[in-house]
Amino acid sequence: MNSKLWRNVYLGIENLLLHKLRTLLTMLGVVFGVGSVVAMLSVGEGASSQAMEQIKKVGSNNIILKSVKSQKEESTSSTTRSFMSMYGLTYDDHLRIAETFDTVAQAVPVKIVRKEARLGDRSLELRVVGTAPEWFEMLDRPKVAGRVLTRQDIQNQANVAVLTEYGSRRLLATTNTIGNHVRIGSDFFKVVGIVKSEGGSAGNIQMPDERVDAYIPINIARKYYGDIIQRRTAGSRTRERVELHQIIAKVKEIEHVEQTAAGIKAMLERFHEDKDYQISVPLALLKQARETKRTFNIVLGSIAAISLLVGGIGIMNIMLASVTERTREIGIRRAIGAKRKQIINQFIIETVVLSSIGGLVGIGLGITIPKVITHFSGMPTIITQSSILISFSISIGIGIVFGLYPAVRAANVDPIIALRHE
């Protein structure tokens, strides 16, 4: 059986080589179709994977609450030259979330201010983040050197700061990093640790660790910088009173995340007259990203399927022409005892060989295109084994489906009429 199969494969390749240019042109449809499938799936997989990694870094068990200006505050501040707007999350909100919800394991307050940092003749504008030690556990921030904030720092009201890699390089350069003192605003802070810089965004969630972040105890941030931020622009001065810029709540069990987020939302609606907060749930974004990825793959797959359909029609067209050209050969084979089944097998094998070779070339093209895209644009692409297997299976399927009709037509040719064919 195997020897017959390989003999038929050999005959199929031999017949295809008789018309090299025609075979090549026929395969192009399959080549581009399969290449498109592999390339599009790798681009989609890369973009989706990047988005999901960003969301996972924020923590799938976390709920992120952020202070935002309400529409009422926006309209008032835009028409008033000197105005103090009051909005956002409060210390009471933090206490209510931490003490009211049994499903919440930890709730961390975050206060953010912009301050210039100086060390010798070096300066850098930092995003000073006042927070609690649990912040580093909840967001899984990799430590590079030294330590992160501790409970003792909060209790002792210590002037300590944790910098990012980027910030420490810009400020401290070649001097010893850990143990050095940096002036932030008008106060001096001892650098006790460095964490990895991982700026970016996930959906509408701004990653809390930007390149220029400096983390200090929350009580020190409140003591030194207060809750009022003043901004001066040409001809006007605005002041904002914001107690907390973020609250990050970690839920004990992942299945309670969405339910807890709904409870927190209801609680905030009860205590805030205006909608001056925003709730983001990384888990919901993760689900949304997966759903988007699935839709994206379906759309891209449909586009590539059109190319494959055109390639399949080309194969059928050329095989019908081949049947006509080889009518006398078919008649001779039938006359010496060949069965219809054998004629069908012969033509099916030829089309499968044609589409398989096209599929292999297409896979090579599909692997090359994402590498070129990544090299020139920096866009991440991921080629998966499943996309290659699916693409190659589709190319074989095209050979079978579009070769079946020409094969059956060849098998049904009357031997006597076929022998008279010139």
Side-chain angles (χ1 to χ4, degrees):
M1 180 63 188
N2 286 336
S3 62
K4 284 184 180 178
L5 176 65
W6 285 115
R7 190 176 63 199
N8 285 335
V9 171
Y10 175 76
L11 286 173
I13 294 173
E14 198 173 47
N15 283 324
L16 294 173
L17 289 176
L18 289 175
H19 306 281
K20 295 184 182 66
L21 181 60
R22 190 174 73 179
T23 302
L24 177 65
L25 294 175
T26 305
M27 281 196 303
L28 285 181
V30 178
V31 170
F32 290 124
V34 171
S36 301
V37 171
V38 176
M40 287 179 176
L41 289 179
S42 68
V43 171
E45 187 70 27
S48 170
S49 176
Q50 187 184 34
M52 286 196 279
E53 279 301 314
Q54 292 286 352
I55 293 169
K56 285 177 183 174
K57 281 179 184 174
V58 185
S60 51
N61 273 43
N62 293 341
I63 299 169
I64 316 287
L65 293 93
K66 182 181 173 185
S67 293
V68 293
K69 243 181 197 179
S70 65
Q71 290 184 347
K72 180 183 169 186
E73 290 290 338
E74 287 280 5
S75 60
T76 307
S77 60
S78 63
T79 56
T80 309
R81 293 170 67 84
S82 179
F83 176 76
M84 184 165 85
S85 57
M86 300 170 63
Y87 64 91
L89 301 165
T90 65
Y91 298 105
D92 288 340
D93 290 332
H94 170 242
L95 285 177
R96 287 189 200 103
I97 292 169
E99 295 175 358
T100 307
F101 294 91
D102 295 335
T103 52
V104 173
Q106 292 172 328
V108 171
V110 177
K111 177 181 273 300
I112 299 172
V113 291
R114 293 271 176 186
K115 291 287 175 185
E116 187 184 52
R118 283 193 169 275
L119 179 66
D121 58 349
R122 293 174 176 272
S123 66
L124 177 68
E125 184 176 310
L126 294 178
R127 196 180 82 140
V128 182
V129 180
T131 188
E134 293 79 9
W135 185 94
F136 298 91
E137 299 167 15
M138 293 168 69
L139 297 176
D140 192 24
R141 191 64 60 229
K143 188 172 65 179
V144 176
R147 63 172 177 85
V148 295
L149 299 178
T150 62
R151 296 306 305 171
Q152 286 71 31
D153 293 331
I154 301 288
Q155 289 167 6
N156 299 335
Q157 299 196 22
N159 280 20
V160 294
V162 176
L163 301 180
T164 60
E165 282 179 293
Y166 176 81
S168 65
R169 279 200 302 270
R170 286 286 305 274
L171 278 173
L172 301 165
T174 57
T175 59
N176 292 328
T177 305
I178 306 300
N180 219 320
H181 285 76
V182 177
R183 196 180 78 181
I184 301 176
S186 57
D187 303 290
F188 283 89
F189 287 81
K190 180 182 179 183
V191 178
V192 294
I194 297 172
V195 293
K196 194 174 178 183
S197 302
E198 292 182 352
S201 62
N204 62 347
I205 301 175
Q206 184 67 35
M207 294 290 286
D209 185 3
E210 290 186 345
R211 295 201 306 164
V212 292
D213 275 359
Y215 305 95
I216 65 173
I218 178 72
N219 49 353
I220 290 294
R222 190 179 184 188
K223 177 182 173 184
Y224 288 169
Y225 310 123
D227 298 328
I228 298 174
I229 302 169
Q230 295 193 46
R231 290 194 179 91
R232 292 179 184 276
T233 55
S236 67
R237 184 185 66 171
T238 60
R239 292 187 298 165
E240 292 181 352
R241 188 176 191 280
V242 182
E243 293 187 8
L244 291 175
H245 293 84
Q246 281 185 357
I247 297 174
I248 304 174
K250 183 177 184 179
V251 181
K252 293 174 185 171
E253 303 292 338
I254 198 166
E255 56 265 27
H256 295 148
V257 170
E258 291 176 290
Q259 173 196 346
T260 305
I264 291 173
K265 183 183 176 188
M267 185 202 76
L268 291 176
E269 284 173 349
R270 195 162 63 249
F271 289 97
H272 289 248
E273 289 184 7
D274 302 319
K275 194 173 187 315
D276 54 358
Y277 55 85
Q278 184 182 70
I279 301 177
S280 302
V281 184
L283 181 65
L285 289 175
L286 193 63
K287 289 180 179 176
Q288 187 181 347
R290 285 176 179 152
E291 186 62 27
T292 304
K293 174 191 169 187
R294 195 176 73 83
T295 308
F296 194 60
N297 285 344
I298 291 172
V299 172
L300 293 180
S302 302
I303 295 170
I306 295 172
S307 300
L308 289 168
L309 179 66
V310 173
I313 292 171
I315 288 177
M316 180 186 281
N317 186 39
I318 214 67
M319 291 309 295
L320 286 171
S322 178
V323 169
T324 305
E325 289 173 359
R326 293 159 63 186
T327 301
R328 187 171 177 80
E329 175 197 324
I330 295 168
I332 293 171
R333 292 186 64 182
R334 291 294 309 279
I336 60 177
K339 296 178 181 175
R340 286 180 176 173
K341 183 181 173 183
Q342 291 172 317
I343 301 294
I344 290 174
N345 286 341
Q346 176 61 41
F347 277 88
I348 287 288
I349 286 171
E350 284 185 24
T351 52
V352 169
V353 168
L354 186 66
S355 61
S356 299
I357 295 172
L360 289 173
V361 177
I363 288 170
L365 181 68
I367 292 173
T368 305
I369 291 173
K371 290 183 184 299
V372 173
I373 291 173
T374 303
H375 179 75
F376 286 103
S377 69
M379 182 186 296
T381 54
I382 297 175
I383 299 166
T384 60
Q385 289 184 349
S386 60
S387 67
I388 292 175
L389 287 173
I390 289 171
S391 304
F392 188 64
S393 302
I394 289 174
S395 68
I396 293 176
I398 285 173
I400 295 172
V401 171
F402 288 92
L404 190 60
Y405 175 69
V408 171
R409 186 168 171 176
N412 288 335
V413 171
D414 188 304
I416 297 173
I417 297 174
L419 286 170
R420 290 176 183 170
H421 186 80
E422 294 295 336

